[in-house]
Amino acid sequence: MLRSAVCLSRAVMPLARRTVAQPGIRHMAVTKVVDERFVGDYPNIPEESSQRRDPFVFQDLQDRRNFGEPVQENDELLSMWTFDENVAGDRVTKEQALQQLLMALGGLGLVLFVASKLKKESPVNKKSFEDQEVYFKL
């Protein structure tokens, strides 16, 4: 029965439609796409830091993400909780930020130095023992 149906379709089909595909075309259809990211069919999301996204258009304002939105491959590097990517709204360059950090650490060191020089005697009386010499000799 199947054989007769195939023969009938061959007879009805015009000759131009029965031509076999070229080997080059068949080869193009068989080639596989090379997966360079090694994540399968996971969507290719652009690597944009969450710190640069508008916080007021997402359902989750803290992580700046909508419900059901796929997570980026490098979410640990691009999340809100990594080092600040934009410093003071991009008004401060990296060199200025480093300069401000060194100034703050220098100020802290100066305060510690002054505090060590102004060291006062302890306000608590030292504990005295009856046989103080005996205890310290042991």
Side-chain angles (χ1 to χ4, degrees):
M1 176 111 170
L2 182 62
R3 208 169 227 211
S4 63
V6 170
C7 291
L8 182 63
S9 68
R10 284 184 183 171
V12 173
M13 190 183 320
L15 184 62
R17 284 184 134 180
R18 278 194 272 160
T19 58
V20 179
Q22 299 294 329
I25 295 173
R26 180 177 291 153
H27 178 70
M28 286 175 42
V30 175
T31 58
K32 293 182 180 178
V33 177
V34 178
D35 186 17
E36 296 175 357
R37 299 181 308 138
F38 300 107
V39 292
D41 60 347
Y42 197 77
N44 189 8
I45 302 169
E47 290 195 6
E48 177 190 8
S49 175
S50 297
Q51 296 175 359
R52 299 215 177 258
R53 296 174 102 180
D54 185 15
F56 303 111
V57 296
F58 297 103
Q59 294 170 350
D60 185 5
L61 301 179
Q62 190 171 11
D63 284 334
R64 297 181 184 177
R65 184 180 301 147
N66 285 327
F67 179 74
E69 180 181 350
V71 180
Q72 298 156 335
E73 293 175 50
N74 300 324
D75 184 56
E76 297 87 13
L77 300 174
L78 300 171
S79 71
M80 285 296 300
W81 308 111
T82 58
F83 296 106
D84 289 339
E85 182 179 303
N86 54 353
V87 180
D90 292 332
R91 293 186 308 264
V92 178
T93 64
K94 291 182 180 181
E95 292 79 17
Q96 291 174 336
L98 179 64
Q99 181 184 12
Q100 291 176 5
L101 175 66
L102 292 176
M103 287 173 35
L105 291 176
L108 179 64
L110 181 66
V111 168
L112 290 174
F113 177 74
V114 170
S116 69
K117 292 300 178 188
L118 297 177
K119 195 175 196 180
K120 300 290 183 185
E121 199 174 314
S122 177
V124 179
N125 292 332
K126 293 190 176 190
K127 196 170 193 180
S128 62
F129 298 101
E130 296 174 6
D131 298 328
Q132 194 167 3
E133 296 175 10
V134 175
Y135 286 113
F136 289 122
K137 287 181 182 178
L138 296 176

